[in-house]
């Protein structure tokens, strides 16, 4: 009986030592933004956009090959369904890239940091000036509100955060002002307005023509008058000879 107790004790001791010496679990795999969104569900349309524009590859490469952080605002499928019919298909390939980039900040922003963020936030779409790609946030308690000049929405959920990447759900697709601005009218062609020099030249030509016409008429009068004088002189001479 004592031998059985000792054997069981030694067996438990060996198992405990084996567990203590077992290697720790390996590090998590590389960050994959589309895998994060797919696992969360209801982001099928945004995932398709990330993949078709190749922005997903750029995001993953940046996260896994540098220490720089990113913040992504992810609209769910029902946000895309709420868009005006045909809007997404009317965008060019370049505009689709800019639309995705407009949902990405080039820094990691924790939810509490939105309270002190400086507006406008600079997205990867570029120019944040008014009329281009401005993105502004305001907070009310724990609620984060986002406005683009076209869309007003809120951050409704934190999907993922690891200190380098933050992914937040937003209730609407973030549409930038740049997609809806009215283009400036094209300048009028140069031939549409007569040049001042050309007008002056035309006026000068008209005056020259008038002067030429007047001079010609004067010469004609003089010629006819001389013929009359000659005829009178000839008649007077004939009368004198007869007398």
């Amino acid at each position: 009986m004592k031998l059985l107790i000792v054997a069981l004790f030694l067996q438990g001791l060996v198992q405990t030592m084996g567990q203590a010496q077992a290697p720790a679990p390996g590090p998590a795999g590389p960050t994959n933004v589309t895998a994060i969104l797919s696992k969360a569900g209801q982001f099928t349309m945004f995932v398709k956009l990330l993949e078709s524009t190749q922005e997903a590859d750029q995001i993953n490469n940046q996260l896994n090959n540098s220490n720089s952080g990113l913040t992504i605002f992810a609209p769910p499928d029902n946000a895309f369904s709420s868009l005006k019919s045909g809007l997404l298909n009317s965008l060019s390939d370049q505009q689709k890239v800019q639309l995705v980039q407009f949902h990405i900040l080039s820094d990691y922003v924790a939810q509490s940091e939105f309270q002190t963020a400086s507006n406008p936030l600079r997205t990867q779409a570029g120019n944040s000036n008014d009329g281009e790609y401005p993105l502004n946030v305001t907070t009310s308690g724990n609620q984060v509100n986002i406005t683009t000049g076209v869309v007003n929405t809120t951050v409704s959920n934190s999907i993922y955060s690891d200190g380098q990447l933050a992914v937040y759900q937003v209730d609407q697709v973030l549409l930038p002002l740049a997609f809806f601005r009215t283009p400036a009218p094209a300048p009028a062609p140069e031939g549409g307005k007569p040049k001042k020099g050309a007008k002056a030249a035309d006026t000068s030509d008209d005056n020259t023509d008038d002067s030429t016409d007047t001079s010609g008429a004067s010469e004609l009068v003089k010629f006819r008058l001389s013929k009359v004088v000659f005829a009178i002189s000839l008649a007077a001479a004939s009368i004198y000879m007869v007398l």
Side-chain angles (χ1 to χ4, degrees), residues 176-199:
L177 274 171
F179 288 5
F180 300 93
R181 65 186 175 194
T182 303
E190 292 185 1
K193 287 186 176 181
K195 296 182 179 179
K196 292 183 179 179
K199 185 176 181 179

Side-chain angles (χ1 to χ4, degrees), residues 114-198:
F114 285 117
Q115 296 179 358
T116 56
S118 298
N119 287 315
L121 301 181
R122 188 171 181 84
T123 70
Q124 290 192 345
N127 193 339
S128 58
N129 292 336
D130 189 28
E132 294 290 336
Y133 297 92
L135 187 72
N136 295 285
V137 296
T138 58
T139 58
S140 177
N142 293 327
Q143 180 174 301
V144 178
N145 306 305
I146 299 177
T147 180
T148 71
V150 179
V151 170
N152 298 313
T153 188
T154 59
V155 172
S156 56
N157 189 24
S158 177
I159 300 170
Y160 180 86
S161 180
D162 62 4
Q164 185 186 18
L165 171 66
V167 183
Y168 300 105
Q169 178 178 329
V170 289
D171 292 336
Q172 296 186 53
V173 178
L174 304 180
L175 299 174
L177 274 171
F179 288 5
F180 300 93
R181 65 186 175 194
T182 303
E190 292 185 1
K193 287 186 176 181
K195 296 182 179 179
K196 292 183 179 179

